[in-house]
């Protein structure tokens, strides 16, 4: 763990703990931090993980940033979080990933004057009984929990027995300033006249990419002049899954139609110029990539992995929704969505002011 910054007593201090990956939960943490007025808050980031990771690329250079090295979340993380709170003496701490949330809430027992704000990154029904028990025990000690959807909020109140006053639904906003900045002068990464389908996210079994490749194979029967771009990094232990995906595309003889781009700091270039963004997930928290694609007027083909999907995507208007693991249904949704052209989103998110209100005592 690196050295600690000197406190600025003229402002309140907010410490944000963020996982080293650069997924939706991590980027939301950075966005919420950006909502705080720099004249009133000293914002400090601590990256948690085996390495500093890709998320460092997204943290502004003018922000104080430290690194907590852990081989895994059981590697003394709670003690390291407590050490940070003891030495930083923050007014607020924030986390947006369940394993860190649990340990941060428990570590905060020793610091009653620190306001603990957590964000739920997944539904409780996806968690084991043991994990639910951990959450039930730890979340007694947090001050406020942000839920991404009403269903997630209701779960927290019912299953974890949290007071309704301590849980609020704040639908994910998108960082339009960042997106617009990254698209200044952007040109299409695609060549020729092919219909271009894009997936953006980590290469992980929970994301259903095996179904996507099979669906794309069926789509090519009717639309042979199409290409699929998979924009994302192979995460953690999913190298074997990546090899499985390569085997599927080889078996279907469509490898020349699929491009694995790897991680891209600017995926918005692909999203903006795509004919359709596809999210074939088996489970989600709240799909930021879908919200971002709709902001960019790109139609979407999405699986109904969580109820809120059908509230975000207007079926037949700005995209098409199909069932999880439905190869034929996803192929039809992709074809139909690509024919919608540019679309207008009706999604309403939480505002910066909604998040700012939580950082008060």
């Amino acid at each position: 763990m690196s050295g600690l910054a000197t406190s600025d007593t003229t402002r309140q201090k907010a410490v944000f703990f963020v996982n080293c990956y650069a997924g939706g939960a991590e980027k939301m943490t950075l966005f919420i931090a950006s909502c705080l007025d720099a004249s009133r808050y000293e914002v400090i980031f601590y990256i948690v993980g085996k390495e500093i990771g890709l998320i460092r690329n997204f943290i502004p250079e003018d922000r104080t940033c430290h690194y907590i090295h852990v081989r895994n979340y059981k590697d003394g993380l709670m003690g390291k979080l407590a050490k940070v709170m003891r030495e930083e003496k923050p007014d607020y701490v924030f986390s947006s990933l369940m394993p860190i949330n649990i340990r941060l809430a428990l570590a905060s027992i020793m610091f009653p004057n620190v306001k603990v704000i957590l964000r739920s990154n997944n539904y409780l029904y996806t968690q084991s009984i043991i994990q639910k028990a951990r959450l039930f025990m730890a979340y007694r000690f947090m001050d406020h929990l942000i839920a991404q959807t009403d269903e997630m909020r209701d779960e927290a109140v019912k299953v974890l027995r949290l007071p309704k006053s301590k849980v609020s639904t704040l639908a994910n906003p998108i960082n339009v300033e960042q997106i617009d900045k990254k698209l200044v002068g952007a040109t299409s990464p695609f060549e020729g006249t092919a219909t271009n389908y894009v997936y953006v996210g980590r290469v992980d079994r929970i994301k259903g990419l095996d179904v996507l490749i099979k669906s794309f194979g069926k789509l090519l029967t009717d639309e042979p002049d199409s290409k699929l771009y998979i924009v994302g990094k192979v995460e953690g232990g999913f190298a074997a899954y990546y090899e499985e995906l390569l085997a599927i595309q080889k078996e279907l003889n469509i490898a020349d139609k699929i491009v694995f781009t790897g991680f891209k700091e600017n995926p918005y270039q692909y999203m903006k110029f795509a004919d359709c963004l596809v999210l074939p997930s088996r489970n989600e928290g709240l799909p930021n990539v879908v919200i971002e694609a709709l902001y960019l007027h790109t139609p979407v083909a999405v699986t109904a992995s969580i109820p809120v999907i059908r509230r975000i995507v207007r079926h037949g208007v700005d995209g098409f929704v199909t069932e999880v693991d439905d190869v034929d249904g996803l192929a039809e949704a992709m074809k139909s969505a690509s024919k919608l052209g540019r679309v207008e989103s009706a999604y309403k998110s939480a505002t910066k002011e909604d998040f700012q209100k939580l950082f008060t005592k």
Side-chain angles (χ1 to χ4, degrees), residues 8-234:
D8 181 347
T9 58
T10 63
R11 297 177 292 172
Q12 291 187 304
K13 182 183 288 187
V15 174
F16 288 77
F17 296 97
V18 59
N19 188 56
C20 62
Y21 295 136
E26 291 75 31
K27 290 180 182 177
M28 272 302 304
T29 298
L30 269 55
F31 176 83
I32 293 170
S34 75
C35 294
L36 302 184
D37 185 345
S39 68
R40 296 178 54 202
Y41 298 91
E42 179 187 1
V43 172
I44 298 174
F45 292 101
Y46 277 83
I47 298 173
V48 178
K50 291 188 291 187
E51 56 187 14
I52 293 177
L54 295 170
I55 195 61
R56 184 63 184 93
N57 299 328
F58 295 89
I59 297 175
E61 290 297 327
D62 61 348
R63 293 294 196 185
T64 302
C65 183
H66 301 294
Y67 171 47
I68 299 176
H69 177 265
V70 289
R71 290 166 296 177
N72 54 59
Y73 296 119
K74 298 177 183 178
D75 185 23
L77 178 56
M78 189 168 74
K80 294 175 182 181
L81 297 176
K83 184 172 187 268
V84 171
M85 286 190 279
R86 182 171 62 252
E87 298 189 20
E88 289 284 9
K89 297 179 174 59
D91 298 284
Y92 309 93
V93 291
F94 180 93
S95 169
S96 188
L97 201 68
M98 280 184 183
I100 301 176
N101 288 359
I102 290 170
R103 291 160 178 83
L104 183 59
L106 291 174
S108 73
I109 296 172
M110 297 180 289
F111 307 95
N113 294 326
V114 178
K115 185 172 182 178
V116 181
I117 305 169
L118 305 177
R119 176 177 171 273
S120 184
N121 66 300
N122 219 324
Y123 287 86
L124 293 176
Y125 73 81
T126 67
Q127 306 301 305
S128 67
I129 294 176
I130 293 175
Q131 182 73 335
K132 289 175 185 175
R134 293 191 189 107
L135 292 164
F136 181 86
M137 176 178 64
Y139 281 19
R140 308 295 98 200
F141 305 103
M142 64 93 202
D143 293 283
H144 201 88
L145 179 66
I146 299 171
Q148 300 175 57
T149 68
D150 290 339
E151 291 86 1
M152 197 176 282
R153 177 202 62 202
D154 294 343
E155 268 192 332
V157 171
K158 181 178 180 180
V159 178
L160 303 182
R161 305 291 179 86
L162 294 174
K164 291 182 179 180
S165 60
K166 286 193 172 187
V167 188
S168 58
T169 301
L170 294 179
N172 286 2
I174 55 173
N175 194 336
V176 296
E177 293 88 355
Q178 180 188 69
I179 294 173
D180 292 346
K181 182 178 179 180
K182 285 184 175 290
L183 286 174
V184 171
T187 58
S188 174
F190 309 120
E191 297 178 355
T193 59
T195 301
N196 297 298
Y197 297 89
V198 170
Y199 162 86
V200 176
R202 67 185 186 273
V203 179
D204 182 332
R205 186 175 297 278
I206 199 84
K207 295 294 186 177
L209 296 176
D210 49 308
V211 173
L212 172 57
I213 292 175
K214 293 173 184 176
S215 297
F216 184 64
K218 288 185 174 293
L219 178 151
L220 287 171
T221 302
D222 297 325
E223 296 183 2
D225 189 23
S226 296
K227 295 203 76 170
L228 171 63
Y229 292 80
I230 296 176
V231 182
K233 180 184 177 184
V234 180

